[in-house]
PDB file of all heavy atoms in Angstrom:
ATOM      1  N   VAL A1159      75.109-133.737  25.464  1.00 93.00           N
ATOM      2  CA  VAL A1159      74.355-134.998  25.495  1.00 93.00           C
ATOM      3  C   VAL A1159      74.808-135.820  26.698  1.00 93.00           C
ATOM      4  O   VAL A1159      75.794-135.484  27.343  1.00 93.00           O
ATOM      5  CB  VAL A1159      74.591-135.826  24.199  1.00 93.00           C
ATOM      6  CG1 VAL A1159      74.036-135.111  22.979  1.00 93.00           C
ATOM      7  CG2 VAL A1159      76.066-136.144  24.009  1.00 93.00           C
ATOM      8  N   THR A1160      74.080-136.909  26.984  1.00 89.00           N
ATOM      9  CA  THR A1160      74.520-137.804  28.053  1.00 89.00           C
ATOM     10  C   THR A1160      75.779-138.533  27.586  1.00 89.00           C
ATOM     11  O   THR A1160      76.019-138.683  26.383  1.00 89.00           O
ATOM     12  CB  THR A1160      73.430-138.824  28.385  1.00 89.00           C
ATOM     13  OG1 THR A1160      72.983-139.407  27.167  1.00 89.00           O
ATOM     14  CG2 THR A1160      72.265-138.169  29.098  1.00 89.00           C
ATOM     15  N   ALA A1161      76.580-138.998  28.581  1.00 91.00           N
ATOM     16  CA  ALA A1161      77.919-139.509  28.285  1.00 91.00           C
ATOM     17  C   ALA A1161      77.924-140.609  27.216  1.00 91.00           C
ATOM     18  O   ALA A1161      78.800-140.643  26.357  1.00 91.00           O
ATOM     19  CB  ALA A1161      78.578-140.007  29.562  1.00 91.00           C
ATOM     20  N   GLU A1162      76.930-141.504  27.237  1.00 93.00           N
ATOM     21  CA  GLU A1162      76.977-142.619  26.280  1.00 93.00           C
ATOM     22  C   GLU A1162      76.914-142.160  24.824  1.00 93.00           C
ATOM     23  O   GLU A1162      77.320-142.877  23.925  1.00 93.00           O
ATOM     24  CB  GLU A1162      75.847-143.616  26.567  1.00 93.00           C
ATOM     25  CG  GLU A1162      74.486-142.954  26.554  1.00 93.00           C
ATOM     26  CD  GLU A1162      73.334-143.932  26.671  1.00 93.00           C
ATOM     27  OE1 GLU A1162      73.393-145.007  26.056  1.00 93.00           O
ATOM     28  OE2 GLU A1162      72.373-143.591  27.377  1.00 93.00           O
ATOM     29  N   HIS A1163      76.418-140.934  24.600  1.00 95.00           N
ATOM     30  CA  HIS A1163      76.347-140.414  23.227  1.00 95.00           C
ATOM     31  C   HIS A1163      77.469-139.431  22.919  1.00 95.00           C
ATOM     32  O   HIS A1163      77.504-138.846  21.842  1.00 95.00           O
ATOM     33  CB  HIS A1163      74.995-139.735  22.996  1.00 95.00           C
ATOM     34  CG  HIS A1163      73.841-140.673  23.111  1.00 95.00           C
ATOM     35  ND1 HIS A1163      73.556-141.602  22.146  1.00 95.00           N
ATOM     36  CD2 HIS A1163      72.929-140.865  24.091  1.00 95.00           C
ATOM     37  CE1 HIS A1163      72.500-142.311  22.519  1.00 95.00           C
ATOM     38  NE2 HIS A1163      72.103-141.882  23.699  1.00 95.00           N
ATOM     39  N   CYS A1164      78.367-139.224  23.879  1.00 95.00           N
ATOM     40  CA  CYS A1164      79.472-138.289  23.696  1.00 95.00           C
ATOM     41  C   CYS A1164      80.417-138.823  22.616  1.00 95.00           C
ATOM     42  O   CYS A1164      80.828-139.971  22.664  1.00 95.00           O
ATOM     43  CB  CYS A1164      80.210-138.119  25.027  1.00 95.00           C
ATOM     44  SG  CYS A1164      81.711-137.163  24.897  1.00 95.00           S
ATOM     45  N   GLU A1165      80.758-137.968  21.652  1.00 92.00           N
ATOM     46  CA  GLU A1165      81.606-138.418  20.543  1.00 92.00           C
ATOM     47  C   GLU A1165      83.037-138.688  20.990  1.00 92.00           C
ATOM     48  O   GLU A1165      83.771-139.403  20.327  1.00 92.00           O
ATOM     49  CB  GLU A1165      81.613-137.373  19.417  1.00 92.00           C
ATOM     50  CG  GLU A1165      80.295-137.330  18.686  1.00 92.00           C
ATOM     51  CD  GLU A1165      80.263-136.287  17.569  1.00 92.00           C
ATOM     52  OE1 GLU A1165      81.331-135.930  17.035  1.00 92.00           O
ATOM     53  OE2 GLU A1165      79.152-135.841  17.240  1.00 92.00           O
ATOM     54  N   THR A1166      83.446-138.089  22.111  1.00 91.00           N
ATOM     55  CA  THR A1166      84.812-138.295  22.580  1.00 91.00           C
ATOM     56  C   THR A1166      84.934-139.534  23.458  1.00 91.00           C
ATOM     57  O   THR A1166      85.750-140.407  23.194  1.00 91.00           O
ATOM     58  CB  THR A1166      85.303-137.064  23.362  1.00 91.00           C
ATOM     59  OG1 THR A1166      85.199-135.929  22.509  1.00 91.00           O
ATOM     60  CG2 THR A1166      86.746-137.232  23.801  1.00 91.00           C
ATOM     61  N   CYS A1167      84.130-139.635  24.499  1.00 93.00           N
ATOM     62  CA  CYS A1167      84.325-140.735  25.465  1.00 93.00           C
ATOM     63  C   CYS A1167      83.317-141.873  25.298  1.00 93.00           C
ATOM     64  O   CYS A1167      83.549-142.968  25.795  1.00 93.00           O
ATOM     65  CB  CYS A1167      84.289-140.212  26.894  1.00 93.00           C
ATOM     66  SG  CYS A1167      82.643-139.720  27.459  1.00 93.00           S
ATOM     67  N   ARG A1168      82.216-141.624  24.634  1.00 92.00           N
ATOM     68  CA  ARG A1168      81.145-142.620  24.489  1.00 92.00           C
ATOM     69  C   ARG A1168      80.807-143.307  25.820  1.00 92.00           C
ATOM     70  O   ARG A1168      80.517-144.499  25.880  1.00 92.00           O
ATOM     71  CB  ARG A1168      81.526-143.671  23.440  1.00 92.00           C
ATOM     72  CG  ARG A1168      81.385-143.102  22.038  1.00 92.00           C
ATOM     73  CD  ARG A1168      81.869-144.059  20.989  1.00 92.00           C
ATOM     74  NE  ARG A1168      82.809-143.417  20.098  1.00 92.00           N
ATOM     75  CZ  ARG A1168      83.754-144.030  19.410  1.00 92.00           C
ATOM     76  NH1 ARG A1168      83.896-145.342  19.519  1.00 92.00           N
ATOM     77  NH2 ARG A1168      84.550-143.371  18.632  1.00 92.00           N
ATOM     78  N   GLY A1169      80.944-142.538  26.896  1.00 93.00           N
ATOM     79  CA  GLY A1169      80.567-143.051  28.210  1.00 93.00           C
ATOM     80  C   GLY A1169      81.615-143.955  28.842  1.00 93.00           C
ATOM     81  O   GLY A1169      81.384-144.518  29.903  1.00 93.00           O
ATOM     82  N   SER A1170      82.784-144.076  28.203  1.00 94.00           N
ATOM     83  CA  SER A1170      83.801-144.981  28.738  1.00 94.00           C
ATOM     84  C   SER A1170      84.805-144.229  29.607  1.00 94.00           C
ATOM     85  O   SER A1170      85.404-143.239  29.170  1.00 94.00           O
ATOM     86  CB  SER A1170      84.521-145.685  27.577  1.00 94.00           C
ATOM     87  OG  SER A1170      85.877-145.911  27.884  1.00 94.00           O
ATOM     88  N   ASP A1171      84.984-144.701  30.847  1.00 93.00           N
ATOM     89  CA  ASP A1171      85.960-144.080  31.750  1.00 93.00           C
ATOM     90  C   ASP A1171      87.367-144.163  31.175  1.00 93.00           C
ATOM     91  O   ASP A1171      88.154-143.234  31.302  1.00 93.00           O
ATOM     92  CB  ASP A1171      85.956-144.794  33.116  1.00 93.00           C
ATOM     93  CG  ASP A1171      84.684-144.498  33.889  1.00 93.00           C
ATOM     94  OD1 ASP A1171      84.013-143.488  33.569  1.00 93.00           O
ATOM     95  OD2 ASP A1171      84.357-145.272  34.800  1.00 93.00           O
ATOM     96  N   ASN A1172      87.680-145.298  30.559  1.00 95.00           N
ATOM     97  CA  ASN A1172      89.018-145.470  29.987  1.00 95.00           C
ATOM     98  C   ASN A1172      89.275-144.461  28.877  1.00 95.00           C
ATOM     99  O   ASN A1172      90.312-143.821  28.818  1.00 95.00           O
ATOM    100  CB  ASN A1172      89.175-146.880  29.398  1.00 95.00           C
ATOM    101  CG  ASN A1172      89.399-147.922  30.474  1.00 95.00           C
ATOM    102  OD1 ASN A1172      89.650-147.582  31.621  1.00 95.00           O
ATOM    103  ND2 ASN A1172      89.303-149.174  30.109  1.00 95.00           N
ATOM    104  N   ARG A1173      88.293-144.317  28.001  1.00 95.00           N
ATOM    105  CA  ARG A1173      88.443-143.402  26.880  1.00 95.00           C
ATOM    106  C   ARG A1173      88.619-141.968  27.385  1.00 95.00           C
ATOM    107  O   ARG A1173      89.473-141.222  26.914  1.00 95.00           O
ATOM    108  CB  ARG A1173      87.206-143.506  25.990  1.00 95.00           C
ATOM    109  CG  ARG A1173      87.345-142.877  24.640  1.00 95.00           C
ATOM    110  CD  ARG A1173      86.077-143.085  23.855  1.00 95.00           C
ATOM    111  NE  ARG A1173      85.942-144.422  23.320  1.00 95.00           N
ATOM    112  CZ  ARG A1173      86.479-144.811  22.164  1.00 95.00           C
ATOM    113  NH1 ARG A1173      87.181-143.972  21.455  1.00 95.00           N
ATOM    114  NH2 ARG A1173      86.313-146.042  21.739  1.00 95.00           N
ATOM    115  N   ARG A1174      87.813-141.609  28.401  1.00 94.00           N
ATOM    116  CA  ARG A1174      87.867-140.260  28.968  1.00 94.00           C
ATOM    117  C   ARG A1174      89.240-140.021  29.601  1.00 94.00           C
ATOM    118  O   ARG A1174      89.857-138.975  29.406  1.00 94.00           O
ATOM    119  CB  ARG A1174      86.771-140.126  30.018  1.00 94.00           C
ATOM    120  CG  ARG A1174      86.247-138.736  30.187  1.00 94.00           C
ATOM    121  CD  ARG A1174      85.086-138.726  31.163  1.00 94.00           C
ATOM    122  NE  ARG A1174      83.933-139.425  30.662  1.00 94.00           N
ATOM    123  CZ  ARG A1174      83.240-140.344  31.339  1.00 94.00           C
ATOM    124  NH1 ARG A1174      83.597-140.693  32.562  1.00 94.00           N
ATOM    125  NH2 ARG A1174      82.203-140.924  30.796  1.00 94.00           N
ATOM    126  N   ALA A1175      89.720-141.016  30.357  1.00 95.00           N
ATOM    127  CA  ALA A1175      91.010-140.871  31.032  1.00 95.00           C
ATOM    128  C   ALA A1175      92.138-140.745  30.015  1.00 95.00           C
ATOM    129  O   ALA A1175      93.064-139.950  30.194  1.00 95.00           O
ATOM    130  CB  ALA A1175      91.254-142.058  31.963  1.00 95.00           C
ATOM    131  N   VAL A1176      92.059-141.522  28.931  1.00 96.00           N
ATOM    132  CA  VAL A1176      93.105-141.446  27.903  1.00 96.00           C
ATOM    133  C   VAL A1176      93.061-140.091  27.202  1.00 96.00           C
ATOM    134  O   VAL A1176      94.102-139.489  26.934  1.00 96.00           O
ATOM    135  CB  VAL A1176      92.989-142.622  26.896  1.00 96.00           C
ATOM    136  CG1 VAL A1176      93.843-142.378  25.653  1.00 96.00           C
ATOM    137  CG2 VAL A1176      93.395-143.933  27.564  1.00 96.00           C
ATOM    138  N   GLU A1177      91.868-139.570  26.952  1.00 94.00           N
ATOM    139  CA  GLU A1177      91.760-138.232  26.344  1.00 94.00           C
ATOM    140  C   GLU A1177      92.391-137.179  27.251  1.00 94.00           C
ATOM    141  O   GLU A1177      93.080-136.283  26.790  1.00 94.00           O
ATOM    142  CB  GLU A1177      90.296-137.870  26.068  1.00 94.00           C
ATOM    143  CG  GLU A1177      89.638-138.686  24.963  1.00 94.00           C
ATOM    144  CD  GLU A1177      90.321-138.530  23.603  1.00 94.00           C
ATOM    145  OE1 GLU A1177      90.821-137.430  23.308  1.00 94.00           O
ATOM    146  OE2 GLU A1177      90.364-139.516  22.844  1.00 94.00           O
ATOM    147  N   ARG A1178      92.134-137.308  28.564  1.00 94.00           N
ATOM    148  CA  ARG A1178      92.727-136.373  29.526  1.00 94.00           C
ATOM    149  C   ARG A1178      94.247-136.480  29.504  1.00 94.00           C
ATOM    150  O   ARG A1178      94.954-135.489  29.519  1.00 94.00           O
ATOM    151  CB  ARG A1178      92.220-136.696  30.936  1.00 94.00           C
ATOM    152  CG  ARG A1178      91.292-135.631  31.507  1.00 94.00           C
ATOM    153  CD  ARG A1178      91.033-135.793  32.981  1.00 94.00           C
ATOM    154  NE  ARG A1178      90.704-137.157  33.380  1.00 94.00           N
ATOM    155  CZ  ARG A1178      89.470-137.621  33.557  1.00 94.00           C
ATOM    156  NH1 ARG A1178      88.435-136.829  33.400  1.00 94.00           N
ATOM    157  NH2 ARG A1178      89.247-138.872  33.912  1.00 94.00           N
ATOM    158  N   MET A1179      94.733-137.728  29.440  1.00 96.00           N
ATOM    159  CA  MET A1179      96.175-137.958  29.402  1.00 96.00           C
ATOM    160  C   MET A1179      96.792-137.346  28.144  1.00 96.00           C
ATOM    161  O   MET A1179      97.826-136.668  28.217  1.00 96.00           O
ATOM    162  CB  MET A1179      96.454-139.465  29.441  1.00 96.00           C
ATOM    163  CG  MET A1179      97.912-139.810  29.251  1.00 96.00           C
ATOM    164  SD  MET A1179      98.176-141.593  29.087  1.00 96.00           S
ATOM    165  CE  MET A1179      97.888-141.828  27.332  1.00 96.00           C
ATOM    166  N   LEU A1180      96.144-137.556  26.998  1.00 96.00           N
ATOM    167  CA  LEU A1180      96.681-137.037  25.738  1.00 96.00           C
ATOM    168  C   LEU A1180      96.721-135.511  25.757  1.00 96.00           C
ATOM    169  O   LEU A1180      97.688-134.896  25.301  1.00 96.00           O
ATOM    170  CB  LEU A1180      95.848-137.537  24.549  1.00 96.00           C
ATOM    171  CG  LEU A1180      95.900-139.052  24.294  1.00 96.00           C
ATOM    172  CD1 LEU A1180      94.924-139.433  23.187  1.00 96.00           C
ATOM    173  CD2 LEU A1180      97.311-139.502  23.938  1.00 96.00           C
ATOM    174  N   ALA A1181      95.668-134.906  26.336  1.00 94.00           N
ATOM    175  CA  ALA A1181      95.629-133.442  26.421  1.00 94.00           C
ATOM    176  C   ALA A1181      96.745-132.942  27.332  1.00 94.00           C
ATOM    177  O   ALA A1181      97.422-131.948  27.025  1.00 94.00           O
ATOM    178  CB  ALA A1181      94.267-132.986  26.932  1.00 94.00           C
ATOM    179  N   ALA A1182      96.960-133.635  28.457  1.00 95.00           N
ATOM    180  CA  ALA A1182      98.010-133.232  29.401  1.00 95.00           C
ATOM    181  C   ALA A1182      99.394-133.381  28.758  1.00 95.00           C
ATOM    182  O   ALA A1182     100.262-132.524  28.930  1.00 95.00           O
ATOM    183  CB  ALA A1182      97.914-134.067  30.677  1.00 95.00           C
ATOM    184  N   MET A1183      99.583-134.466  27.993  1.00 96.00           N
ATOM    185  CA  MET A1183     100.874-134.671  27.322  1.00 96.00           C
ATOM    186  C   MET A1183     101.113-133.579  26.278  1.00 96.00           C
ATOM    187  O   MET A1183     102.222-133.073  26.144  1.00 96.00           O
ATOM    188  CB  MET A1183     100.939-136.059  26.675  1.00 96.00           C
ATOM    189  CG  MET A1183     101.147-137.180  27.692  1.00 96.00           C
ATOM    190  SD  MET A1183     101.370-138.807  26.923  1.00 96.00           S
ATOM    191  CE  MET A1183     102.990-138.621  26.136  1.00 96.00           C
ATOM    192  N   ARG A1184     100.062-133.215  25.553  1.00 95.00           N
ATOM    193  CA  ARG A1184     100.181-132.128  24.564  1.00 95.00           C
ATOM    194  C   ARG A1184     100.595-130.837  25.238  1.00 95.00           C
ATOM    195  O   ARG A1184     101.486-130.140  24.767  1.00 95.00           O
ATOM    196  CB  ARG A1184      98.830-131.915  23.865  1.00 95.00           C
ATOM    197  CG  ARG A1184      98.769-132.480  22.445  1.00 95.00           C
ATOM    198  CD  ARG A1184      97.579-131.972  21.660  1.00 95.00           C
ATOM    199  NE  ARG A1184      96.325-131.930  22.391  1.00 95.00           N
ATOM    200  CZ  ARG A1184      95.474-132.964  22.489  1.00 95.00           C
ATOM    201  NH1 ARG A1184      95.770-134.125  21.933  1.00 95.00           N
ATOM    202  NH2 ARG A1184      94.346-132.845  23.151  1.00 95.00           N
ATOM    203  N   ARG A1185      99.934-130.531  26.376  1.00 93.00           N
ATOM    204  CA  ARG A1185     100.268-129.296  27.100  1.00 93.00           C
ATOM    205  C   ARG A1185     101.720-129.293  27.550  1.00 93.00           C
ATOM    206  O   ARG A1185     102.388-128.278  27.543  1.00 93.00           O
ATOM    207  CB  ARG A1185      99.358-129.135  28.329  1.00 93.00           C
ATOM    208  CG  ARG A1185      97.979-128.605  28.028  1.00 93.00           C
ATOM    209  CD  ARG A1185      97.315-128.089  29.301  1.00 93.00           C
ATOM    210  NE  ARG A1185      97.180-129.111  30.333  1.00 93.00           N
ATOM    211  CZ  ARG A1185      96.174-129.978  30.396  1.00 93.00           C
ATOM    212  NH1 ARG A1185      95.203-129.937  29.506  1.00 93.00           N
ATOM    213  NH2 ARG A1185      96.110-130.883  31.349  1.00 93.00           N
ATOM    214  N   ALA A1186     102.203-130.476  27.962  1.00 95.00           N
ATOM    215  CA  ALA A1186     103.571-130.577  28.446  1.00 95.00           C
ATOM    216  C   ALA A1186     104.567-130.643  27.286  1.00 95.00           C
ATOM    217  O   ALA A1186     105.773-130.596  27.493  1.00 95.00           O
ATOM    218  CB  ALA A1186     103.713-131.799  29.351  1.00 95.00           C
ATOM    219  N   GLY A1187     104.065-130.776  26.068  1.00 96.00           N
ATOM    220  CA  GLY A1187     104.935-130.886  24.895  1.00 96.00           C
ATOM    221  C   GLY A1187     105.553-132.269  24.756  1.00 96.00           C
ATOM    222  O   GLY A1187     106.617-132.417  24.155  1.00 96.00           O
ATOM    223  N   TRP A1188     104.892-133.273  25.308  1.00 97.00           N
ATOM    224  CA  TRP A1188     105.420-134.638  25.271  1.00 97.00           C
ATOM    225  C   TRP A1188     104.654-135.501  24.278  1.00 97.00           C
ATOM    226  O   TRP A1188     103.429-135.384  24.167  1.00 97.00           O
ATOM    227  CB  TRP A1188     105.308-135.273  26.655  1.00 97.00           C
ATOM    228  CG  TRP A1188     106.204-134.640  27.669  1.00 97.00           C
ATOM    229  CD1 TRP A1188     107.245-133.780  27.429  1.00 97.00           C
ATOM    230  CD2 TRP A1188     106.138-134.814  29.087  1.00 97.00           C
ATOM    231  NE1 TRP A1188     107.817-133.407  28.608  1.00 97.00           N
ATOM    232  CE2 TRP A1188     107.176-134.022  29.640  1.00 97.00           C
ATOM    233  CE3 TRP A1188     105.330-135.554  29.932  1.00 97.00           C
ATOM    234  CZ2 TRP A1188     107.400-133.961  31.015  1.00 97.00           C
ATOM    235  CZ3 TRP A1188     105.549-135.493  31.298  1.00 97.00           C
ATOM    236  CH2 TRP A1188     106.581-134.715  31.838  1.00 97.00           C
ATOM    237  N   SER A1189     105.375-136.382  23.594  1.00 97.00           N
ATOM    238  CA  SER A1189     104.719-137.241  22.604  1.00 97.00           C
ATOM    239  C   SER A1189     105.165-138.693  22.684  1.00 97.00           C
ATOM    240  O   SER A1189     104.693-139.524  21.928  1.00 97.00           O
ATOM    241  CB  SER A1189     104.981-136.700  21.204  1.00 97.00           C
ATOM    242  OG  SER A1189     106.377-136.704  20.959  1.00 97.00           O
ATOM    243  N   LYS A1190     106.114-138.994  23.573  1.00 98.00           N
ATOM    244  CA  LYS A1190     106.648-140.364  23.616  1.00 98.00           C
ATOM    245  C   LYS A1190     106.396-140.977  24.987  1.00 98.00           C
ATOM    246  O   LYS A1190     106.926-140.516  25.988  1.00 98.00           O
ATOM    247  CB  LYS A1190     108.140-140.350  23.320  1.00 98.00           C
ATOM    248  CG  LYS A1190     108.475-139.757  21.969  1.00 98.00           C
ATOM    249  CD  LYS A1190     109.953-139.953  21.681  1.00 98.00           C
ATOM    250  CE  LYS A1190     110.371-139.197  20.437  1.00 98.00           C
ATOM    251  NZ  LYS A1190     110.878-137.852  20.793  1.00 98.00           N
ATOM    252  N   LEU A1191     105.605-142.034  24.978  1.00 98.00           N
ATOM    253  CA  LEU A1191     105.196-142.682  26.226  1.00 98.00           C
ATOM    254  C   LEU A1191     105.700-144.122  26.276  1.00 98.00           C
ATOM    255  O   LEU A1191     105.418-144.919  25.378  1.00 98.00           O
ATOM    256  CB  LEU A1191     103.660-142.664  26.319  1.00 98.00           C
ATOM    257  CG  LEU A1191     103.011-143.381  27.496  1.00 98.00           C
ATOM    258  CD1 LEU A1191     103.430-142.759  28.833  1.00 98.00           C
ATOM    259  CD2 LEU A1191     101.488-143.345  27.369  1.00 98.00           C
ATOM    260  N   LEU A1192     106.460-144.415  27.324  1.00 97.00           N
ATOM    261  CA  LEU A1192     106.936-145.782  27.537  1.00 97.00           C
ATOM    262  C   LEU A1192     106.119-146.406  28.663  1.00 97.00           C
ATOM    263  O   LEU A1192     105.973-145.805  29.726  1.00 97.00           O
ATOM    264  CB  LEU A1192     108.422-145.769  27.912  1.00 97.00           C
ATOM    265  CG  LEU A1192     109.058-147.139  28.186  1.00 97.00           C
ATOM    266  CD1 LEU A1192     109.094-147.996  26.927  1.00 97.00           C
ATOM    267  CD2 LEU A1192     110.465-146.977  28.756  1.00 97.00           C
TER     268      LEU A1192
END
Side-chain angles (χ1 to χ4, degrees):
V1159 295
T1160 49
E1162 56 173 320
H1163 297 286
C1164 173
E1165 289 179 25
T1166 303
C1167 72
R1168 284 175 231 154
S1170 146
D1171 289 340
N1172 283 348
R1173 194 178 283 275
R1174 209 175 293 131
V1176 167
E1177 291 299 326
R1178 249 192 313 263
M1179 174 187 85
L1180 294 174
M1183 285 185 69
R1184 256 194 317 273
R1185 281 197 301 275
W1188 292 346
S1189 61
K1190 301 188 188 93
L1191 176 62
L1192 179 66

